[in-house]
Amino acid sequence: MPEYKNHGPGHGGVSQISRVDWAGEEERSQPSFDGDWAYELIDKALDLFCLCYDGRIIYLNNAGAEMLAVPSAHKAIGKSFTDFIHPQFRETAERALEALSTNGEMLALKFQRVDGAGHDVEIMISPFPGSGDKAVSIYGRDIAHRNQAEEELLNSHGRLERRIEKWEQALVRERELRRRAEDQVNHSQTVIENLSQAVVAVGADYKIAAVNRAFTEMTGYTTEDAVDRPPHFHISSPEGRDIHNRMWEGLKKEGYWEGEFWNLRKDGGKYAERLSITAFTDVNGKVQYYTCVISDITRHKEDEERIHFHANYDSLTGLPNRSLFLDRVEQMVANTPRTLRKLGLMFVSLDGFKLVNETLGYDYGDLLLKQTTGRLINCVRKGDTVARLGGDEFSIIMPNLSSAENATSLAQRILDTVAKEFRLGGHPVAVTASIGIAICPDDGVERTDLLKNAASALASAKEIGGANYQFSTADFNDEMKERLVLKTGLNKALENNDFILHYQPKLDLRSGRITGVEALMRWKSPDLGWVPPGKFIPVMEETGMIIEVGEWALRVACRQYNAWLEEGLEPIRIAVNLSARQLREEGFAAGIERLLAETGVPPSGLEVEITESMLMKDMEQSVVTLARLNEIGIHVAMDDFGTGYSSLSYLKKFPIDTIKIDRSFVADIATDPDDVEIIKTIITMGRTLNRRVIAEGVETEEQLNILREFNCDEIQGYFFCRPMDAKKVSAFIQAKTAGSE
Ligand code: C2E
Ligand code: MG
Ligand code: MG
């Protein structure tokens, strides 16, 4: 084997090679490198170039030395090439070297570097021509980077594939979920569409987004009618609208609301619905949509109402039955003490009902009860309850009575209406009613007491013989009876000339002269005898009779004025008491003017007295009329002063000449220092306002002296003179005048 040395880079290596003695084959195959450039090229190449002779390295370029990690190319010379091959590839390499060729292909293997590390390379072995099959040239290139890149590529490819696989799996899963969700949605849609309950989907804007078929069937409104409208658009009953407002509040507070109410279909038909509405919110609590579910509960409601009706109403008359009646009484009795009003309870029973049943039969009896019901309902006021307690017994609850007396007019109306003839299937039937009345709180504040009292009052009405009403309290019955007698008697009093006027003189304390007289009405009833005005005047006020009788009194007073003049007396002013009702009459002042003109009485001959309390009740109108009378020259006095709570400012406003101190103050003037103070104040006030002050009801000398001491202008009272008829008064005045002269 020839000795070859690497001369190192830069010079001569290749030329030496060119001079290799290939043992006689020189001529056949001379290596034909031309010059140093070729050497340079190979030596500086980035790939491995190596020449081996008989498997041993005889030349190695620098890149090769680097690949094999030998410190320099010289160190590799003479070494077996396969020593540098990784054991794993060594056999392959040996075979290729033996074959002197890799058949023009690159053979991938690994070098076993001097430093022990493996290095991926690709080599191509080619026979060196002319070496007698001993030498080979080896070209190698570093594929470590490529491998690494490939490996990385492979890795990343693997990763990518794994990721894609994962994605694919996720995608499959998602597709499956979506399919299932879609199935579910389709399924739910089918379910919703076929539900018997109406479902309304409402957007966050509170407008309907969709309705199902049941909604249209239930309400008559189609999808087109409903969509884009607020969910309550179909709530058309007043009850429903009221409930809708409450619904909003519930929805805002709880996010849920449920309620039942009667509603109207599009065609106006009535149906009952149970509506539940739920708000669905996002994680922030913002409403995303609402769902309304409506059930038609008409049948249920009707059943409920039927049951309620049977439990609470009488099936024959349709009136509340005993049970509902008791509930209502309980309720109203509980409320009554909080009002200033009274509660009346009336038991009405038909006299002769049993007879109708027995003679005409029960069907006619039923008919009578039905017709009676109609008549009773026509009698009562709004707010009253008519109930049937059983048999021929009815009851009327009257809340809101201003006085117990109000019940009497209703009782009378019922007596009158029931007493009218009934026609039962062509049969004329006459019955009457008996009525028992109890008043809350007068006759009790407990339901049981009131019922007991009304029942016992009814029993007494029956006992008396029926066709009447009785109050449960005996006193009240007497009072009512008396009023009735008074009313009846008064009706005829005027035409029967049962009224007369008495006169009571008034005395001027300073001059000792009689300043006038007060006309006081007297009524002598043929049945009752003398009735005091305190009893019959209020009844006339109530019936309105006072207007006519008041006119009569004015006329009589004027006539009396003239009569006394004719008798030769000095003119005497006559004071006539007026009722507020008269003052309220239109043209009252004009009427008086006419009367004065007719009778020739000067206005100064007449005085009118009106009580303070009446004035206070109806100030506006009274003041106008009184002012007119005052203007004409008629004297005006404020009667019973001190009982009507008028203030100083009112007094100033009223067109009055005289203040009459109520006799209740005068009565105690000698014993009660408070009354002394009051009288003193009134007198001072009267003087300040330039009004005359008269003290009424002076009965003793002591009272008279006190009043004189306080400078009271006039007095009136039994001490000086009682009210007397015209004749006696004239005699009294004449005697007085004669005495003072
Ligand atoms: P009045 O206008 O305050 O009349 C005074 C009342 O006191 C009269 O009662 C009279 O009899 C009574 N009286 C007079 N002096 C004394 C006394 O010293 N002691 C006592 N205890 N009483 C005395 P009378 O006549 O019973 O009249 C009562 C009320 O009836 C009158 O009160 C008046 O408000 C009303 N009245 C009388 N006549 C008429 C009238 O023609 N029309 C109207 N609207 N009301 C009248
Ligand atoms: Mg008077
Ligand atoms: Mg008086």
Side-chain angles (χ1 to χ4, degrees), residues 564-635:
W564 280 327
L565 274 188
E566 277 163 28
E567 275 180 43
L569 294 181
E570 292 284 307
I572 301 166
R573 178 186 298 142
I574 304 180
V576 178
N577 290 287
L578 293 185
S579 145
R581 267 185 107 131
Q582 288 172 276
L583 283 184
R584 247 181 275 145
E585 277 289 287
E586 221 171 293
F588 177 73
I592 289 198
E593 281 180 80
R594 263 199 316 275
L595 178 66
L596 294 180
E598 270 173 39
T599 54
V601 174
S604 57
L606 194 63
E607 179 163 357
V608 290
E609 291 191 10
I610 175 101
T611 61
E612 185 195 17
S613 50
M614 278 189 186
L615 256 185
M616 297 304 293
K617 253 190 233 161
D618 188 14
M619 242 158 31
E620 307 285 307
Q621 182 58 38
S622 308
V623 168
V624 174
T625 311
L626 290 179
R628 176 71 195 135
L629 297 178
N630 210 233
E631 231 173 66
I632 304 165
I634 295 171
H635 270 243

Side-chain angles (χ1 to χ4, degrees), residues 518 577 609 639 660:
E518 177 178 5
N577 290 287
E609 291 191 10
D639 208 350
K660 295 185 82 176

